[in-house]
Amino acid sequence: MPVMTYRDAIKSAMAEEMERDESVVLLGEDIGLYGGTHLVTDGLLDKFGSKRVIDTPIAEGGFTGAAIGMAMMGMRPIVEMMTWNFSFQAADQIIQNAAKIRYFSGGQASVPLVIRGPNGGGVQLSAQHTHSLEGFYGHFPGLKVVAPVTPHDAKGMMIEAIRDPDPVLILEAGALYGTKGEVPEGEYTVEFGKARIAREGTDVSLIGYGRQVNLLLKVAERLQADEGITAEVIDVRSIRPFDEETLVNSVMKTNRAVVVEEQWRWFSVASEVAASIQEHAFDYLDAPVERVSGAETPAPYARNLEAAAFPNEEQIIDAVRRVAYRRA
Amino acid sequence: MATTQSSTKKRKSASSGANGAKPDVPGVSAEKLLEFYNQMVYVRLFEEACQRAFRQGRVGGYLHVYIGQEAVAVGLLDTYQPEDRVITAYRDHAHALLLGSPPNEVMAELYGKGTGIVKGKGGSMHLFDVPNGLMGGYGIVGGHIPLGVGMAYAMAYQQTGGIVQLYFGDGAIHNGAYHEAANLAGLWGKSGMNPTLFILENNQYGMGTSVERATANTDLGSKFASYGIEHEKVDGMDVVAMNEAAHRLSKQVRETGVPFAIEAMTYRIAPHGAADFLEKYRSKEEVKEARKRDPIGLLEQRILDAGAADEEALETIRKANKEIADAAVTFAEESPDPDIAELYTDVYADSPEVHSA
């Protein structure tokens, strides 16, 4: 199978859909001439022209709102948020318009819109440029929210999103644009609302999404080697709709769960996962569900402080020991 | 019968309109004046019925009526073509009615009934009638303006030949959403990609805050000029003046794909919302003075002066429209509540469908 970077997987999905469907257009800051801050759209202006690859002024609310209007007229716009941090500027458009128009129009209008961009931290961008917004956006009915971690899923979910009749937010793993993975040839989609078992195991369920999945896979190897614990790693990948079944089935098998996320714990995805597990698999649990989340602070700048603000291998291993009732 | 009324309101063709006549210049036919009168009275009496229902507690939520501003939408929507789209804020009843939405369904929406035009899910602020070109009423001041600009881009991209009539109030022009959207419209218009007709309904107040209390630069037209959008101020109490500008400027926008802005100088005779009882922000004298230029009164005078119709004929029109409004109220009152299962429909495209008996 061909190997491709996460960045190229997203780009090829957009390019292929643009070839297939003239109603697909791109909007965003410096996505055309500049090539995109993260080069995800590099080369697309030359290929598709300025009517379809639209460089916008730095006005997220304005161009996101305009994209919603385009979508209501039957186009399939893809908005690039240079980073999701800037989406607060467009939050009124995303939440008050995109998420609700189908509903308050009584089903007369729809918003087939994709908004994509890098999410999360890890590259010393400090407080205003570091957020993990999956819990925030996942809160709103009417939106779909996904967070792919592999190039395979990034491409398949992007194509699925473009063809979806409702607004889809793709929270890309900003730190992983250069990572490589296998991507099938030809067109395929990854269905929303289905978690992925990234590693099979029997002793504990490690649950996460985005770049945390890679961390969990590393932890699983260490647990196997050092502690003899065989961990199952679940990549949630679709925040809304949310696949309770896969998580619950995993916990029914392992009887223990550690949920890991980069975002703040309170009112977070991990909290929702923990609640789902206790609702549906209470009798199977041998220990309370552990959450490992980001520090409850604005994101710091200094390398060591930032590292301390996000989940790390030691924290996760400690949590696993707690649910397994083991000493270090 | 209400349905007859609404079907006569459907636009036949723009060329049957005021054919570029200037205000106070003979050239608007008697028939046209009476058509305008009929439409304005239709809106006025419908809105008055809404107000009564609200005060009786039969209509919930917010209610923002169009009383005093009728000449604006009537004059402009006379130019509506089937490929056009209309988008506005929450003072949206008139736009729906004039585009041909059944008055019964509009009233039923206000009553929150299952027969409402958006199934009782939106209420007064969110009327939609997509088949008739109404892309919605929106409740967040300024928030719909980018949508309208994007729709215009899409129409240019799809080469439909349509334009967007994008309505908003003077209160919205101070909102960031307006400025970002106007900037995009001006920019995209440079390559003919933005057939937006902005209609600033300057009714002098953003809720209770007058223009003078909202901005140091009260020349609101200059806020279009900032973004390279040409604009024209029009007497929004004079339906003939509105109509003349509407035909001329919608044609221009349609042909060029370049946005244009009309600042309609109007006045909200009614309170901001039906719950705005005190009106501490303006004097009774001011409202009384404004009523002298009530757009319906002005048109009545014009009709009578021109001998286009006599008082008796006007009374017949009023009576017919009163019946439409009354019938809409009856329809709304007798309609069933929405099926409770509708709560969960229309969240997503694949939300469960409700099949009512």
Side-chain angles (χ1 to χ4, degrees):
Chain A
M1 211 183 291
V3 169
M4 203 181 260
T5 62
Y6 190 88
R7 168 187 295 114
D8 286 342
I10 298 165
K11 188 199 295 189
S12 68
M14 296 192 295
E16 285 167 26
E17 288 298 284
M18 289 177 82
E19 293 278 5
R20 192 187 61 79
D21 181 354
E22 279 205 346
S23 68
V24 180
V25 297
L26 312 182
L27 297 92
E29 294 151 356
D30 278 321
I31 61 168
L33 208 52
Y34 189 107
T37 312
H38 306 278
L39 300 177
V40 177
T41 53
D42 194 26
L44 298 181
L45 174 64
D46 289 342
K47 201 163 181 185
F48 297 104
S50 61
K51 281 184 183 169
R52 298 187 69 189
V53 180
I54 306 165
D55 273 324
T56 65
I58 302 170
E60 289 83 3
F63 65 73
T64 303
I68 294 168
M70 292 177 188
M72 291 172 75
M73 293 300 296
M75 293 181 70
R76 300 259 166 179
I78 304 171
V79 166
E80 174 173 298
M81 283 293 159
M82 189 184 288
T83 82
W84 274 100
N85 304 288
F86 310 154
S87 74
F88 294 114
Q89 294 271 340
D92 182 67
Q93 293 298 334
I94 298 169
I95 296 162
Q96 292 278 32
N97 287 330
K100 298 175 183 171
I101 281 171
R102 181 185 294 282
Y103 196 78
F104 66 57
S105 72
Q108 289 189 45
S110 59
V111 184
L113 166 72
V114 178
I115 308 178
R116 53 152 292 272
N119 176 59
V123 281
Q124 280 192 282
L125 292 175
S126 77
Q128 291 190 315
H129 282 70
T130 305
H131 288 92
S132 296
L133 294 179
E134 51 283 351
F136 178 76
Y137 284 116
H139 187 62
F140 297 102
L143 299 178
K144 296 183 179 179
V145 180
V146 299
V149 63
T150 63
H152 172 279
D153 285 357
K155 180 168 183 181
M157 286 185 142
M158 174 59 73
I159 295 174
E160 180 82 357
I162 294 168
R163 297 178 185 181
D164 197 285
D166 288 303
V168 180
L169 314 189
I170 303 182
L171 307 176
E172 295 163 3
L176 302 184
Y177 281 125
T179 58
K180 290 181 179 170
E182 289 188 339
V183 172
E185 282 188 80
E187 134 186 350
Y188 68 96
T189 58
V190 172
E191 194 185 346
F192 299 155
K194 299 278 181 209
R196 176 178 70 100
I197 300 173
R199 181 187 196 275
E200 298 226 28
T202 50
D203 300 338
V204 61
S205 300
L206 304 181
I207 301 167
Y209 52 88
R211 71 184 177 114
Q212 305 307 321
V213 173
N214 293 345
L215 184 63
L216 293 177
L217 289 170
K218 266 199 233 167
V219 166
E221 293 305 318
R222 275 184 61 183
L223 288 170
Q224 191 74 63
D226 302 345
E227 321 253 341
I229 292 174
T230 305
E232 178 146 296
V233 176
I234 308 278
D235 174 7
V236 174
R237 72 180 174 175
S238 177
I239 309 298
R240 184 188 270 269
F242 184 70
D243 178 7
E244 284 188 317
E245 197 184 344
T246 298
L247 306 181
V248 168
N249 286 343
S250 174
V251 174
M252 285 177 171
K253 181 171 66 175
T254 64
N255 312 112
R256 295 173 170 85
V258 174
V259 195
V260 182
E261 65 189 354
E262 198 171 305
Q263 68 180 301
W264 297 301
R265 169 182 298 191
W266 289 93
F267 322 108
S268 68
V269 173
S271 302
E272 204 54 49
V273 169
S276 292
I277 291 170
Q278 71 85 17
E279 276 171 8
H280 300 291
F282 184 79
D283 289 337
Y284 293 84
L285 282 173
D286 285 345
V289 177
E290 283 275 341
R291 289 173 288 166
V292 179
S293 308
E296 298 279 331
T297 69
Y301 168 70
R303 198 181 298 277
N304 67 328
L305 294 180
E306 187 187 47
F310 296 131
N312 59 41
E313 292 179 36
E314 301 313 318
Q315 287 171 328
I316 299 166
I317 288 169
D318 281 350
V320 170
R321 286 180 182 137
R322 284 194 295 274
V323 300
Y325 303 107
R326 294 206 187 180
R327 284 167 191 276
Chain B
M1 197 37 216
T3 46
T4 319
Q5 174 69 24
S6 72
S7 63
T8 60
K9 299 207 163 294
K10 295 300 287 289
R11 303 276 66 81
K12 293 175 288 282
S13 81
S15 59
S16 71
N19 52 49
K22 293 275 186 290
D24 299 322
V25 172
V28 183
S29 67
E31 187 197 9
K32 198 75 203 174
L33 290 178
L34 288 173
E35 187 188 322
F36 290 152
Y37 185 75
N38 184 43
Q39 292 176 339
M40 288 165 70
V41 168
Y42 173 45
V43 170
R44 176 71 57 93
L45 295 179
F46 186 93
E47 295 287 49
E48 288 179 355
C50 297
Q51 283 184 316
R52 282 193 298 276
F54 185 88
R55 286 171 188 152
Q56 291 163 353
R58 292 161 198 260
V59 168
Y62 294 149
L63 181 76
H64 309 90
V65 296
Y66 204 63
I67 292 172
Q69 299 178 216
E70 295 89 343
V72 180
V74 167
L76 276 153
L77 291 174
D78 184 52
T79 69
Y80 176 80
Q81 299 291 310
E83 61 273 21
D84 293 348
R85 293 294 181 272
V86 176
I87 183 167
T88 187
Y90 45 75
R91 203 175 298 284
D92 58 354
H93 308 170
H95 305 82
L97 295 172
L98 294 167
L99 285 166
S101 302
N104 288 359
E105 292 181 23
V106 174
M107 188 65 81
E109 186 58 38
L110 271 51
Y111 272 71
K113 296 300 183 75
T115 54
I117 195 156
V118 293
K119 307 191 214 169
K121 289 182 168 179
S124 167
M125 295 190 286
H126 300 301
L127 302 179
F128 275 72
D129 188 347
V130 172
N132 280 319
L134 181 62
M135 300 305 283
Y138 294 81
I140 305 299
V141 170
H144 69 294
I145 301 174
L147 273 56
V149 169
M151 286 173 192
Y153 188 95
M155 289 155 83
Y157 183 83
Q158 296 162 339
Q159 300 181 312
T160 66
I163 70 167
V164 174
Q165 288 196 14
L166 171 44
Y167 293 80
F168 60 104
D170 52 277
I173 207 162
H174 310 303
N175 187 279
Y178 161 74
H179 291 271
E180 295 189 13
N183 185 52
L184 288 173
L187 181 69
W188 290 343
K190 281 168 63 184
S191 48
M193 291 298 285
N194 215 258
T196 304
L197 185 58
F198 287 89
I199 299 129
L200 167 58
E201 298 193 73
N202 184 350
N203 70 10
Q204 321 294 326
Y205 290 92
M207 204 168 147
T209 303
S210 64
V211 172
E212 294 72 28
R213 293 176 60 228
T215 182
N217 172 13
T218 57
D219 174 13
L220 300 187
S222 69
K223 297 173 202 269
F224 293 105
S226 304
Y227 303 111
I229 299 170
E230 286 188 73
H231 62 96
E232 189 169 312
K233 201 179 266 199
V234 181
D235 181 357
M237 302 310 244
D238 179 349
V239 69
V240 176
M242 281 308 311
N243 189 245
E244 183 278 325
H247 279 285
R248 180 166 43 82
L249 298 171
S250 62
K251 182 167 181 279
Q252 179 184 318
V253 169
R254 197 181 301 282
E255 286 171 358
T256 60
V258 178
F260 196 96
I262 292 176
E263 181 183 7
M265 302 304 293
T266 182
Y267 193 79
R268 171 170 56 68
I269 291 173
H272 162 72
D276 172 21
F277 299 115
L278 299 175
E279 299 194 63
K280 287 194 286 191
Y281 53 87
R282 63 182 185 181
S283 67
K284 289 198 168 55
E285 291 69 35
E286 179 184 308
V287 179
K288 200 173 154 196
E289 195 57 30
R291 280 186 187 278
K292 290 182 186 162
R293 296 204 75 239
D294 182 317
I296 295 181
L298 290 183
L299 180 59
E300 245 174 45
Q301 201 54 53
R302 189 193 289 261
I303 288 169
L304 295 173
D305 289 351
D310 57 14
E311 175 53 40
E312 199 183 331
L314 298 184
E315 179 57 23
T316 306
I317 291 173
R318 289 193 291 265
K319 222 175 137 194
N321 282 294
K322 178 75 168 54
E323 281 169 19
I324 293 164
D326 289 347
V329 167
T330 304
F331 175 83
E333 287 183 352
E334 291 174 354
S335 285
D337 288 337
D339 188 326
I340 202 75
E342 285 285 2
L343 174 62
Y344 291 105
T345 65
D346 303 318
V347 181
Y348 297 99
D350 57 359
S351 296
E353 292 283 328
V354 171
H355 300 286
S356 327

